């Protein structure tokens, strides 16, 4: 057995030795899926300089993960209902490219990509409320890209988004058309939520693995200079979800639209920046009275980051994110315990923004401040050159102190939600093996009552094999 194989088995062993709590909230599931998606993105690309007319390739990706979660309930005196999980996620992909003839003026490249997903999760010991969940095998992606330049048509099941992906980003069944001309990029999309997708509103009967929402979006981006891009988008979300069993006493329909403006590029000293402002409007229902109310909400994300070009590749970032809240809403995603009075000012969105490992809040009724750094400390070492260390510090405040946030335990009327420190150690051991450790510690603030303000801890160990 080689030295590197021994080390791999050592890390695998750590999976089964570590003991502690968990079951993911939907924001945690989403972050994990986004991180997986990022490591799979290369499988969707191809080598442009090939001389062959038809390229075909396939491969696989297997992720083993152990997650321990402690005091999701912020109460160390009561047993955690979420303790820990083991998961095994397998993705198999294939792709085919139809390339232009060599030495021809015709440059169009059409492609097809297919990916299957099979996720198996074991939650806590079987002698308690835990159990198994087998999600799959599902069709993860299946899409074709038709290159009709200056138009590109993407058809099928794939990842769609507008702007930075906060208002909307998800895998959906849909069509997207992109038009590129000089410094302009225009796109239009229509998509439908996936079958078996959980409803964002967990108060609707049968919310689990049942959701029916459609998204219609347009976006225009203009590159002003090589270093500055401005963009704007409009997104319409229509809710066709039904309660199951049918609940005639309550209406759960949540229809919304989003208008966004953004900019990204470089500041002096080569500092990267991004800025996006989103206004949400729409209609939601009050649970008890079934009164229809207007939604009027805001989202904002601002950030800068700097890559220092020295040994160790240090990178620093600063970020602010905001999602407006409603003072009479206890729950930020549901109709029940949702808006009870007047306008619904809660920002509810269908995309993603990273908000940390442990508290992992939605961007609703919250101000989030983040400062972070990453580095590659041993880039000169042959074995550890792809070992990367990252740290993030988060500070969270409520927008409306009387309102609730994504964590139901933060139910005291105080704007101080608390702070969190997240650490990540990732190591690309070889081209086939990647190991990641993530640890998050959330320190609750005044929004937690004195009997419910113990720290949340999150620990994840992950090993990914690709072939
Ligand atoms: Ca635990
Ligand atoms: Ca909590
Ligand atoms: Ca507990
Ligand atoms: Ca209200």
């Amino acid at each position: 057995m080689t030295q590197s194989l021994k080390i791999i088995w050592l890390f695998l062993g750590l999976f089964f030795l570590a003991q502690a709590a968990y079951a993911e909230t939907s924001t945690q599931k989403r972050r994990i899926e986004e991180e997986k998606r990022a490591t799979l993105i290369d499988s969707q690309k191809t080598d442009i300089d090939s001389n062959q007319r038809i390229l075909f390739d396939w491969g696989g990706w297997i992720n083993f993960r152990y997650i321990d979660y402690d005091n999701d309930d912020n109460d160390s005196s009561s047993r955690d209902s979420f303790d820990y999980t083991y998961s095994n996620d397998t993705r198999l992909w294939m792709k085919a490219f139809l390339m232009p003839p060599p030495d021809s003026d015709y440059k169009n490249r059409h492609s097809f990509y297919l990916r299957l997903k099979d996720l198996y999760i074991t939650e806590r010991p079987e002698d308690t409320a835990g159990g198994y969940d087998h999600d799959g095998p599902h069709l993860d992606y299946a899409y074709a890209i038709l290159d009709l330049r200056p138009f590109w048509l993407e058809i099928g099941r794939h990842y769609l988004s507008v702007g930075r992906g906060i208002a909307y980003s998800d895998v959906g069944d849909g069509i997207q058309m992109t038009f590129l001309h000089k410094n302009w990029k225009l796109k239009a999309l229509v998509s439908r939520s996936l079958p078996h997708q959980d409803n964002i509103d967990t108060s609707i009967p049968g919310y689990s693995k049942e959701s029916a929402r459609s998204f219609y979006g347009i976006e225009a981006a203009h590159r002003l200079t090589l270093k500055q891009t401005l963009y704007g988008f409009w997104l319409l979300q229509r809710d066709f979800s039904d309660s199951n069993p049918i609940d005639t006493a309550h209406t759960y329909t949540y229809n919304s639209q989003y208008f966004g403006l953004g900019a990204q590029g470089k500041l002096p000293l080569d500092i990267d920046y991004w800025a996006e402002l989103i206004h949400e409007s729409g209609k939601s229902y009050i649970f008890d009275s079934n009164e229809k109310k207007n939604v009027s909400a805001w989202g904002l994300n601002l950030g800068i980051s700097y890559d220092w070009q020295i040994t160790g590749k240090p990178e620093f970032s600063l970020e602010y994110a905001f999602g407006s809240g409603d003072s009479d809403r206890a729950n930020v995603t549901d109709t029940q315990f949702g808006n009870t009075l007047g306008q619904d000012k809660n920002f509810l969105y269908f995309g993603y923004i990273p908000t940390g490992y442990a508290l992992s809040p939605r961007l609703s009724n919250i101000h989030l401040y983040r400062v972070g750094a990453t580095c590659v400390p041993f880039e000169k070492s042959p074995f550890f050159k792809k070992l990367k260390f990252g740290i993030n510090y988060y500070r969270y405040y409520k927008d409306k102190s009387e309102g609730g946030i994504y964590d139901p335990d933060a139910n005291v009327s105080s704007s101080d939600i608390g702070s969190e420190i997240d650490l990540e150690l990732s190591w690309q051991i070889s081209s086939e093996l990647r190991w990641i450790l993530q640890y998050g510690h959330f320190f609750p603030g005044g929004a937690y009552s004195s009997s419910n303000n113990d720290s949340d801890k999150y620990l994840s160990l992950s090993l990914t094999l690709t072939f």
Side-chain angles (χ1 to χ4, degrees):
M1 198 184 264
T2 66
Q3 191 66 26
S4 56
L5 266 177
K6 281 180 192 162
I7 288 168
I8 292 157
W9 285 113
L10 180 73
F11 285 125
L12 271 176
L14 275 179
F15 269 82
F16 302 103
L17 282 174
Q19 281 298 317
Y22 177 63
E24 298 138 330
T25 62
S26 68
T27 50
Q28 282 159 339
K29 270 186 202 160
R30 181 63 194 266
R31 176 182 57 75
I32 292 165
E33 183 62 23
E34 288 296 329
E35 290 172 3
K36 289 175 175 175
R37 199 190 317 284
T39 69
L40 277 155
I41 204 142
D42 280 345
S43 73
Q44 292 167 259
K45 297 172 183 165
T46 199
D47 175 17
I48 301 167
D49 300 323
S50 170
N51 283 325
Q52 286 170 291
R53 286 299 314 275
I54 294 173
L55 302 176
F56 178 81
D57 200 4
W58 70 277
W61 177 103
I62 301 173
N63 177 249
F64 304 98
R65 186 177 300 252
Y66 169 77
I67 302 177
D68 174 11
Y69 206 13
D70 282 337
N71 289 324
D72 169 59
D73 58 0
N74 303 101
D75 181 0
S76 54
S77 68
S78 70
R79 180 161 185 191
D80 294 338
S81 55
F82 301 146
D83 197 2
Y84 57 86
T85 59
Y86 294 100
S87 67
N88 180 351
D89 189 351
T90 305
R91 315 273 172 123
L92 291 171
W93 56 264
M94 59 140 288
K95 62 187 171 189
F97 279 78
L98 180 62
M99 307 296 277
D103 309 317
S104 130
D105 289 340
Y106 184 77
K107 297 280 182 249
N108 305 31
R109 293 187 293 127
H110 308 292
S111 63
F112 175 74
Y113 181 83
L114 179 85
R115 188 157 91 204
L116 299 173
K117 170 182 179 176
D118 191 64
L119 177 64
Y120 191 78
I121 301 178
T122 308
E123 288 185 354
R124 9 193 288 157
E126 284 169 87
D127 59 316
T128 63
Y132 300 101
D133 187 20
H134 187 194
D135 187 16
H138 285 314
L139 200 56
D140 191 13
Y141 283 55
Y143 65 85
I145 303 180
L146 302 178
D147 180 349
L148 310 166
R149 53 188 72 194
F151 293 94
W152 278 260
L153 206 57
E154 290 169 58
I155 305 166
R157 179 168 297 180
H158 61 310
Y159 190 75
L160 295 147
S161 67
V162 291
R164 295 185 59 76
I166 299 170
Y168 174 61
S169 61
D170 212 347
V171 176
D173 291 322
I175 298 179
Q176 175 167 288
M177 192 168 71
T178 309
F179 170 72
L180 289 178
H181 181 67
K182 290 183 178 166
N183 296 325
W184 285 94
K185 180 180 180 181
L186 306 176
K187 78 177 180 187
L189 66 87
V190 177
S191 80
R192 182 84 166 175
S193 56
L194 296 181
H196 316 296
Q197 192 164 353
D198 290 348
N199 202 317
I200 199 165
D201 182 347
T202 60
S203 65
I204 182 169
Y207 82 94
S208 172
K209 301 193 179 183
E210 273 193 47
S211 182
R213 292 179 196 271
S214 293
F215 300 89
Y216 312 87
I218 50 171
E219 179 170 351
H222 181 57
R223 209 172 63 195
L224 293 173
T225 68
L226 272 178
K227 292 178 171 179
Q228 305 298 337
T229 301
L230 290 179
Y231 61 89
F233 64 79
W234 176 82
L235 177 86
L236 183 72
Q237 180 272 134
R238 284 292 171 263
D239 182 2
F240 300 103
S241 311
D242 284 324
S243 47
N244 179 20
I246 296 288
D247 177 358
T248 50
H250 305 286
T251 308
Y252 297 88
T253 310
Y254 186 95
N255 287 324
S256 53
Q257 52 185 324
Y258 305 82
F259 178 67
L261 282 175
Q264 62 184 48
K266 294 267 189 204
L267 297 170
L269 304 173
D270 236 20
I271 294 171
D272 290 302
Y273 79 92
W274 64 92
E276 185 173 300
L277 177 69
I278 304 164
H279 181 257
E280 183 197 353
S281 57
K283 305 277 182 197
S284 70
Y285 286 85
I286 293 178
F287 184 74
D288 288 323
S289 63
N290 283 325
E291 271 180 276
K292 197 199 252 185
K293 293 290 181 187
N294 285 329
V295 175
S296 177
W298 293 91
L300 177 64
N301 184 212
L302 304 170
I304 52 170
S305 73
Y306 179 66
D307 279 314
W308 197 0
Q309 304 292 338
I310 58 164
T311 309
K313 297 195 178 83
E315 185 187 335
F316 304 95
S317 57
L318 261 178
E319 185 173 16
Y320 167 71
F322 168 71
S324 63
D326 191 296
S327 50
D328 51 82
R329 214 183 220 283
N331 187 300
V332 297
T333 55
D334 295 359
T335 303
Q336 191 174 16
F337 307 114
N339 185 44
T340 53
L341 210 66
Q343 280 192 338
D344 186 355
K345 294 182 175 173
N346 175 66
F347 184 54
L348 184 67
Y349 55 97
F350 294 87
Y352 168 72
I353 179 168
T355 59
Y357 302 151
L359 180 67
S360 197
R362 282 182 65 86
L363 198 62
S364 301
N365 195 24
I366 204 162
H367 296 275
L368 173 157
Y369 299 85
R370 180 183 67 84
V371 50
T374 63
C375 67
V376 186
F378 310 114
E379 64 170 329
K380 295 269 159 41
S381 147
F383 197 51
F384 293 108
K385 64 182 174 205
K386 290 189 174 166
L387 184 83
K388 188 173 181 182
F389 175 73
I391 181 165
N392 276 303
Y393 172 77
Y394 291 89
R395 191 76 181 88
Y396 312 101
Y397 296 96
K398 284 185 188 174
D399 173 29
K400 301 279 170 22
S401 53
E402 309 84 16
I405 63 162
Y406 187 62
D407 183 2
D409 302 313
N411 54 14
V412 174
S413 179
S414 159
S415 63
D416 179 13
I417 298 169
S419 58
E420 178 164 328
I421 291 181
D422 286 355
L423 304 173
E424 180 180 76
L425 198 58
S426 70
W427 184 21
Q428 188 78 44
I429 301 165
S430 68
S431 54
E432 298 86 21
L433 262 185
R434 183 179 165 88
W435 177 86
I436 304 175
L437 181 150
Q438 293 174 329
Y439 177 76
H441 192 127
F442 169 65
F443 303 89
Y448 291 78
S449 68
S450 56
S451 59
N452 262 79
N453 63 356
D454 294 318
S455 291
D456 287 37
K457 283 170 243 163
Y458 174 94
L459 173 72
S460 157
L461 284 163
S462 150
L463 189 77
T464 305
L465 270 161
T466 49
F467 54 92

